[in-house]
Amino acid sequence: MFSYIIKRIVSLIPTLLVVSVAVFLITYLMPGGPATAMLGMEATKEELDALNEALGFNRPFLVQYFEWLGKMLKGDWGESLFLQQSVLSAIGQYFLPTLSLALLAELFALVFAIPFGILAAYKRGTTVDLALVTSTLFGIAVPGFLLGMFFMLFFGVKLQWLPVAGYVPLKDGLWNHLRYLILPALSLSTVQAALITRMTRSAVIDVLYLNYIRTARSKGLKERTVLLVHALKNAAPSVLTVVGQSFGTLITGAIVTETLFNIPGIGLLTINAINRRDIYVIQGVVLFVTLLYVGVNLTVDILYGIVDPRIQLGKK
Amino acid sequence: METNNKPLLEMENFHIYFRDRKKRLPAVSGVNMTIHPGEIVGVVGESGSGKSVMSQSILRLREHEADVEYEGSVVFEGQEILKLPLAQMQSIRGNRISVIFQDPLTSLNPVLTVGKQMEEVLILHKKMSRQDARARSTELLRLTGVPYPERCVRQYPYELSGGMQQRVMISMALACEPSLLIADEPTTALDVTIQNQILRLLSELNQKLGMAILLITHDLSVMAQICHSVRVMYLGQIVEEAKTEELFDNPMHPYTQGLLDCIPHLDVDREKPLHVITGTVPPLSQIPVGCHFCTRCPYATEQCRKNEPPAVEISPGHRVKCWNPRMGNEKKREENAI
Amino acid sequence: MTEEKKQAAAKEQSQAILEEQRRLRKEKFLSNPALIIGLVGMVIIVLAALILPAVSSVDPNEMKVLDRLKPPGAEHIFGTDEFGRDLFIRVMHGARVSICVGGAVTIFSSILGTMIGIYASYFKILDNILMRICDGLIAIPGVLLAVALMAALGASIWNVILALTVVYTPSIARVVRAGALVAREQVYVEAAKIQGASDFRILWKIILPSVVSSLTVQASFIFAQAIISEASLSFLGVGIPAPAASWGNILQASKQVLSKAPWTAIFPGAFVIISVLSLNLLGDGLRDFLDPRVKGGRKG
């Protein structure tokens, strides 16, 4: 098991190197480069040249890249040009609301998707299945922000059940905290719920007609045991994959949702940074979210090895 | 073997239909079969003959996977199985009747240990504790000749050889000491040497535990080794049934004769081509009128193509569903005489 | 004589086979509701986007202060926005932008992705390099990468296309490579090699056709994704610059007046949903239609 985990981590190194180059390129390729971002569009050519010289932006690409990479690895992600704090501390400050939102959305997605996916697979070909599959088609087609707008309008303005926008931190009470997150989380989770439902359905269908399921039934096991123990455990790897992938989409989806619902999370941080051309913050956010995403998928990979013992041996 | 005691399983005019969209396909049409306690009954036929569907339908396993309809009756230990509610059916499955399938690797759950898969039967039907179930599983594995059963229960199916996997399947099937074991092509996926070991094991268990076995196979030589009596199936019908020796010595139905001729013999002339039954089993949607075998039978007459033959008892316990049963035999005798 | 007759018979037979194939394909098409609905939906939207803005004399950017936030009615069938602009014509112009951006992204990423995927499948060293790059790009969540690229490049329609092409090319490359890897193991590729076909010929004449069907399916999903992404970017204010009508822009503007004038969100929203739904159905339908294992009328 241990060597399996190590192998997984080592195999990520090239991916992360590519990510780092891509993230570095974002600043490097910016028209006018970082100096323009710092000084603004009105800066004269002399001022720009002076700053480029001072900060070393006119050195060769590789030199700059490796210097940057070294700094990043040491935990120096640069200073925000506007927030009077380091990029990492800004991310730390804005991350909690996003994490809360993403986790709640993931929870909503799973609570709907797993049971409905299993149900659709079990009732395959019936009206129940057709209804569920059709709703997932709609779920996938509706952008989160659009749904968010209608939730705002309906539950917030018309029915006034939940606050329209804003955010209350966890320390002001769990319910208060959640109350503000329910609508954004719901709108964020719909697409993922639909995707996970579809994946669960097809993964369960893939195993439901296999010989060992027939064996399980031939032993007299209840349908519930057949489905939840014998089928689901085999379908779990494919379901886990989408769940892992969905987490990345949720965090980025949060950027749009947070802007809509005015939640002070990573998304708002990013949008503000874009409007102010606060390039190091943008860079930092992309890197941070990507690392998080890669970390989640690594965890999923490791979970595979636990769920399906064949994977560790590379037999599957 | 006693034959005058009460039958364990009685099938009467058993029909099984698959519904596919608007069509209704007969997989099994009017099978009569009786199995007595302790008897080993063989069912032989090509793939598509309906033998697997019939055997699995005793436990009504197919209705979970397809739209199935039954007609007729199947009585097991005095209970009409076809009308039982699912919960009661489940209390028979794995408990009073067990099944072992063709391909042991795919028939065992790949992500659960052997122990876990065996224990769940014991915990379910025998209300055993997990420890007792584990101890009993080990014991059962030892009974079926698995070396190191203590290690085996902790292993996953893919870590075992094919023969061992089938022994695990058999141990699992024996867990609740069923009165009937359905063995659906239990040796087809195995090497010949392992095949013989498994067959010997089944035969031993039959003698030791007095458990009846319904053995499904397409291989007549497997039948000959352990079965007391044999049913030959073709396109959903039993075309001939007899005691094993009687069937091999005196096959009446052209199909049975054809199957027997397909077995290569070392003593005959090698230059002579191996006999084959011409044609293939027609699909269920194209079952011929009259005798089901008429499209492939070398002796088919006008009558065969028009009317379905009745099952006739030729000698005690030997029934054949054919208009001209002796035809093949006579022809053969002629050939041999020349 | 007899030779001629034989040839005629053979010709007739092949004709019959072709006809039978055509009939089967037609049957398979007609028994595939997803494909038909998706196709019809897309055709309607594309036609509307092409024709309506061209024949209409209404200027999508013309502001009429007196007509502010008019609900849907005879004069303005979708109503007007907060500047008194006619929403119907704006949504149609938006359709043009969304279809163009989505289409361009799909075409560019398909071309790039196909080249990467095919070469990667064929040359081992290239495979390692290209696929690591793709893995790296896929590891960065798509919308985030697009947002960051837009931040660096600045808001413009071409930059949206560029950014989204960067985001979606790797997934096309993956699909093409997977298909090409299967194809190159086939006997006919081996046969072509033995006959001395050049690498170029093998790649583009023999392997490419065998990946076209999975590419088409993936492309229709990418098209749908690109439409959603474009709308999201514009909604965030980093996509198509403001006065131009795109579905994302119209929705962003409607955010401010949502409770007073919900129609400003409903119509562009409905168009986003219908077009994405149609494209997804088209993809699902194509997958079944192009899969030789799926027979007419039955779904796997």
Side-chain angles (χ1 to χ4, degrees), chain A residues 41-63:
Chain A
M41 287 298 182
E42 301 81 25
T44 61
K45 184 154 190 315
E46 287 71 34
E47 285 173 314
L48 287 175
D49 286 344
L51 192 66
N52 276 334
E53 186 67 42
L55 296 176
F57 289 140
N58 48 5
R59 288 174 301 160
F61 172 78
L62 281 180
V63 175

Side-chain angles (χ1 to χ4, degrees), chain A residues 292-311:
Chain A
L292 195 69
Y293 182 42
V294 169
V296 168
N297 284 310
L298 176 69
T299 318
V300 167
D301 266 6
I302 293 169
L303 281 177
Y304 271 18
I306 296 170
V307 176
D308 190 341
R310 285 169 300 177
I311 287 171

Side-chain angles (χ1 to χ4, degrees), chain C:
Chain C
M1 268 315 258
T2 48
E3 196 59 28
E4 262 171 37
K5 259 186 198 161
K6 256 188 209 161
Q7 269 182 5
K11 207 172 176 188
E12 210 164 89
Q13 204 175 358
S14 66
Q15 202 77 35
I17 291 172
L18 275 178
E19 224 147 78
E20 174 69 5
Q21 278 178 342
R22 214 170 294 146
R23 195 186 61 77
L24 281 176
R25 216 176 303 143
K26 195 173 154 197
E27 195 177 284
K28 199 173 172 182
F29 177 79
L30 288 175
S31 62
N32 191 334
L35 184 58
I36 296 173
I37 298 173
L39 212 55
V40 169
M42 265 333 276
V43 167
I44 291 175
I45 289 184
V46 169
L47 284 182
L50 286 180
I51 297 169
L52 290 173
V55 299
S56 166
S57 57
V58 184
D59 179 358
N61 293 324
E62 189 193 346
M63 301 185 193
K64 284 185 189 156
V65 190
L66 289 177
D67 279 354
R68 288 185 64 215
L69 297 179
K70 281 264 167 70
E75 202 177 335
H76 303 282
I77 54 170
F78 285 2
T80 62
D81 68 4
E82 57 173 335
F83 298 110
R85 294 177 292 198
D86 181 74
L87 258 179
F88 178 73
I89 202 68
R90 279 185 74 73
V91 169
M92 290 309 140
H93 273 272
R96 226 178 203 193
V97 173
S98 292
I99 300 292
C100 284
V101 170
V105 168
T106 309
I107 291 168
F108 292 144
S109 55
S110 294
I111 293 172
L112 262 174
T114 304
M115 296 208 305
I116 295 173
I118 282 208
Y119 278 107
S121 76
Y122 205 71
F123 302 105
K124 194 94 191 114
I125 304 166
L126 264 181
D127 187 32
N128 272 325
I129 300 169
L130 291 174
M131 282 304 121
R132 287 298 85 73
I133 294 177
C134 286
D135 284 350
L137 287 177
I138 287 174
I140 307 175
V143 176
L144 188 66
L145 181 58
V147 165
L149 285 170
M150 290 308 294
L153 300 168
S156 87
I157 191 164
W158 283 106
N159 286 345
V160 171
I161 293 173
L162 177 65
L164 292 180
T165 302
V166 172
V167 171
Y168 294 120
T169 298
S171 72
I172 296 259
R174 277 263 189 93
V175 168
V176 170
R177 173 179 171 269
L181 279 180
V182 176
R184 59 170 288 188
E185 298 301 320
Q186 304 296 322
V187 186
Y188 52 79
V189 173
E190 198 59 38
K193 260 189 215 165
I194 293 167
Q195 288 173 11
S198 67
D199 286 346
F200 185 84
R201 195 185 150 73
I202 290 176
L203 283 178
W204 297 107
K205 287 272 159 78
I206 298 170
I207 291 184
L208 180 65
S210 64
V211 299
V212 163
S213 66
S214 49
L215 174 67
T216 324
V217 173
Q218 184 69 10
S220 62
F221 292 131
I222 295 287
F223 202 151
Q225 285 300 306
I227 287 180
I228 293 193
S229 298
E230 182 276 315
S232 304
L233 289 177
S234 300
F235 186 76
L236 285 173
V238 294
I240 317 282
S246 92
W247 289 338
N249 283 343
I250 304 172
L251 285 167
Q252 192 203 21
S254 82
K255 199 173 81 179
Q256 316 301 330
V257 292
L258 188 60
S259 55
K260 273 184 284 175
W263 60 87
T264 54
I266 288 171
F267 292 110
F271 269 81
V272 174
I273 296 172
I274 292 169
S275 57
V276 173
L277 194 62
S278 302
L279 283 165
N280 282 335
L281 282 172
L282 192 64
D284 282 343
L286 276 175
R287 180 162 42 204
D288 281 350
F289 185 69
L290 297 172
D291 186 345
R293 283 167 306 178
V294 180
K295 288 207 191 77
R298 217 173 302 171
K299 252 185 151 179

Side-chain angles (χ1 to χ4, degrees), chain B residues 68-117:
Chain B
V68 183
E69 252 174 59
Y70 310 109
E71 267 170 32
S73 93
V74 178
V75 176
F76 173 75
E77 293 183 335
Q79 261 180 319
E80 172 55 70
I81 273 187
L82 298 181
K83 293 192 176 70
L84 280 185
L86 183 63
Q88 260 174 288
M89 195 66 234
Q90 282 165 339
S91 70
I92 293 178
R93 290 176 184 168
N95 188 15
R96 307 301 305 140
I97 306 177
S98 295
V99 203
I100 53 179
F101 295 99
Q102 177 171 355
D103 182 2
L105 177 61
T106 61
S107 298
L108 289 164
N109 194 320
V111 301
L112 300 176
T113 59
V114 166
K116 161 87 181 133
Q117 295 186 57

Side-chain angles (χ1 to χ4, degrees), chain B residues 207-225:
Chain B
Q207 276 155 23
K208 234 189 272 179
L209 309 173
M211 158 190 73
I213 298 177
L214 176 61
L215 181 69
I216 314 294
T217 178
H218 63 269
D219 186 348
L220 274 170
S221 58
V222 166
M223 294 276 141
Q225 284 185 52

Side-chain angles (χ1 to χ4, degrees), chain B residues 244-279:
Chain B
T244 311
E245 294 80 34
E246 167 75 8
L247 189 94
F248 276 80
D249 293 344
N250 195 16
M252 287 289 168
H253 198 282
Y255 181 59
T256 316
Q257 287 156 5
L259 285 179
L260 285 171
D261 286 344
C262 291
I263 305 173
H265 293 280
L266 283 179
D267 48 346
V268 295
D269 189 1
R270 288 193 189 199
E271 303 299 312
K272 218 171 113 186
L274 195 59
H275 183 87
V276 286
I277 304 177
T278 51

